[in-house]
Amino acid sequence: MESGDRDIYLDHAATTPLRAEALQAMLPYLQEAYGNPSSIHAVGQRARTALEGARDTVAKALDCRVNEVVFTSGGTESDNAAIKGGAIALRPTGNHIVTTVIEHHAVLHTCHQLESAGFDVTYVPVDGEGLVKPADVIDAVTDQTVLVSVMYANNEIGTVQPVEEIARLVKERAKEQDRTILVHTDAVQAAGYLDLSVKRLGVDLLSLSAHKFHGPKGAGVLFVRRGTPFSPLLMGGGQERERRSGTENVPAIVGMAAALRLAEQEREEACAHSAALRDRLAAGILERVPGSILNGHATRRLPNNVNVCFLGLEAEPVLLGLDLKGIYASSGSACSTASLEPSHVLTAIGRPADIARGSLRVTVGRGTTEDDVNYFLETLPPLVQRLREMPSFSAGRV
């Protein structure tokens, strides 16, 4: 069966298809209600009404006030704005940031940039399953710490971090020191699968990206708790209560809000559906493909994520072979798939570089079926075996 006969999308961590309901919500604001929401005339005010309605929807999903929701262009901007905005605003009180070694590059590269600007950053290690210990995070906090950033769920291996406990301990330490330490979490992979209540999580800043939960690309959310010191990343017209200047992308924001509302409504059902498929995939791969290793925490992981390494193989020929059979997966973060370097996440959990290069990430979604999983499990084992028997792919590998 060639790719023209079947299309099985197993890369939902990279992006998700736009929901029909989100598209329908967007269409009026791409056509007749096209006004600038900052304009005072009727056309502009129609857009303003839609914008604030979307803000209310997002606030309900995050369990926060409507004025704590800031609309951005996506997860990368939200991460950058949270870390730079919080750290720079608190620069007079300290210059130290704490994060983990397995964060998304939107966080890590932002921290690297701040290091070049005079900030100190501690990158806390994780264990062999990708889990960070709250005690290690607190041990890294000093009397100069202004911000702690720990992702909610890892985009490559799916491990879910104890953000609630970390935030509680950081706030206790800040109280002891009689100073402000902000807590940020990159929750881009969490929407639709994990509880997004910022009251429960206890964070000051939280990032989301619409296209990870069946919304449109080009829209995101940054939650900024009321009273949080914050220096805007983008300056200009003062939109979003002067926290993110630039004319709001009303159609994308409306579509994002519709997708998030539905993702929250369907979360329990989606988790059950995805977890059942995930477990079948993981068990099937480990059983049918000799020399395969599961990456990430056995139980504290996203319901839709399976990440494995194949001894003796690199990921690229496996992905190309699957693609020829109409199966679309990835080797890790979609933002760094073209890189020849091994995944920083896999090396952080102790995988040697040659093994880390042989990783396959399979992420299911609301449209994935049992037949899709069956076809994948029928296709993968003989593909891996054929590749291992080809000297050009296996020579020099363990």
Side-chain angles (χ1 to χ4, degrees):
M1 182 176 290
E2 298 301 322
S3 61
D5 300 314
R6 194 159 189 167
D7 286 313
I8 298 176
Y9 185 73
L10 298 176
D11 199 17
H12 289 82
T15 195
T16 56
L18 181 66
R19 293 187 69 138
E21 299 93 333
L23 176 60
Q24 288 302 311
M26 295 170 66
L27 288 177
Y29 305 96
L30 288 166
Q31 298 170 320
E32 63 269 15
Y34 49 79
N36 187 319
S38 296
S39 299
I40 62 172
H41 51 61
V43 178
Q45 288 308 297
R46 286 185 65 188
R48 168 61 61 181
T49 299
L51 183 70
E52 296 311 319
R55 199 184 309 276
D56 182 68
T57 297
V58 173
K60 286 183 171 64
L62 297 183
D63 191 22
C64 70
R65 299 178 176 89
V66 291
N67 60 10
E68 295 175 322
V69 174
V70 179
F71 293 124
T72 70
S73 65
T76 293
E77 183 190 334
S78 293
D79 284 344
N80 273 256
I83 294 168
K84 293 177 184 177
I88 292 171
L90 286 172
R91 181 63 183 85
T93 71
N95 70 333
H96 181 238
I97 297 168
V98 177
T99 189
T100 81
V101 294
I102 64 167
E103 298 296 309
H104 190 277
H105 284 124
V107 169
L108 294 178
H109 290 174
T110 300
C111 289
H112 297 163
Q113 186 179 40
L114 287 174
E115 284 182 289
S116 68
F119 281 84
D120 294 325
V121 182
T122 298
Y123 301 91
V124 180
V126 296
D127 64 19
E129 294 181 303
L131 198 62
V132 64
K133 296 178 181 177
D136 290 345
V137 175
I138 295 305
D139 287 346
V141 173
T142 73
D143 60 2
Q144 291 295 303
T145 303
V146 293
L147 184 139
V148 173
S149 182
V150 177
M151 71 192 325
Y152 198 174
N154 187 263
N155 54 301
E156 292 193 34
I157 59 175
T159 299
V160 178
Q161 303 296 349
V163 172
E164 183 178 358
E165 182 180 358
I166 289 169
R168 177 178 58 79
L169 293 173
V170 169
K171 293 304 178 181
E172 289 176 359
R173 180 60 55 87
K175 187 175 181 180
E176 292 170 3
Q177 296 179 349
D178 192 24
R179 58 200 310 275
T180 298
I181 304 176
L182 302 180
V183 180
H184 166 251
T185 189
D186 176 345
V188 165
Q189 292 292 333
Y193 292 112
L194 303 177
D195 182 6
L196 297 177
S197 170
V198 293
K199 290 180 181 177
R200 183 188 64 81
L201 290 171
V203 297
D204 304 293
L205 301 150
L206 179 145
S207 305
L208 291 178
S209 184
H211 75 101
K212 304 295 187 178
F213 49 86
H214 299 280
K217 296 174 181 64
V221 171
L222 175 61
F223 160 73
V224 182
R225 188 177 296 281
R226 187 173 66 174
T228 295
F230 185 77
S231 179
L233 185 66
L234 298 180
M235 307 296 290
Q239 289 88 347
E240 297 299 293
R241 294 177 178 264
E242 300 187 353
R243 295 168 297 188
R244 198 275 187 184
S245 290
T247 301
E248 293 92 346
N249 185 349
V250 176
I253 290 168
V254 169
M256 173 174 63
L260 184 59
R261 175 178 56 81
L262 291 168
E264 279 294 293
Q265 288 179 1
E266 300 167 0
R267 177 152 55 91
E268 185 175 346
E269 178 184 352
C271 285
H273 170 75
S274 294
L277 297 178
R278 174 203 65 189
D279 292 345
R280 284 191 59 213
L281 278 165
I285 294 170
L286 296 177
E287 177 185 345
R288 303 184 192 191
V289 182
S292 55
I293 306 169
L294 182 67
N295 300 310
H297 200 280
T299 56
R300 287 186 61 97
R301 70 185 303 136
L302 288 169
N304 72 330
N305 175 290
V306 177
N307 187 301
V308 293
C309 286
F310 301 121
L311 299 180
L313 280 180
E314 293 191 355
E316 185 175 7
V318 178
L319 292 172
L320 291 175
L322 291 173
D323 187 81
L324 288 173
K325 294 294 186 179
I327 299 172
Y328 313 121
S330 71
S331 59
S333 172
C335 301
S336 57
T337 297
S339 173
L340 296 176
E341 293 299 314
S343 160
H344 71 286
V345 175
L346 295 183
T347 55
I349 66 173
R351 300 285 183 253
D354 62 331
I355 294 177
R357 290 191 182 95
S359 68
L360 175 71
R361 183 184 68 179
V362 181
T363 44
V364 302
R366 60 192 298 268
T368 309
T369 67
E370 290 188 6
D371 285 344
D372 294 337
V373 171
N374 291 337
Y375 179 61
F376 175 86
L377 292 175
E378 292 167 2
T379 304
L380 180 68
L383 169 64
V384 171
Q385 183 177 348
R386 287 197 306 271
L387 291 173
R388 282 176 170 159
E389 292 171 353
M390 298 174 66
S392 58
F393 290 124
S394 61
R397 300 299 303 277
V398 176

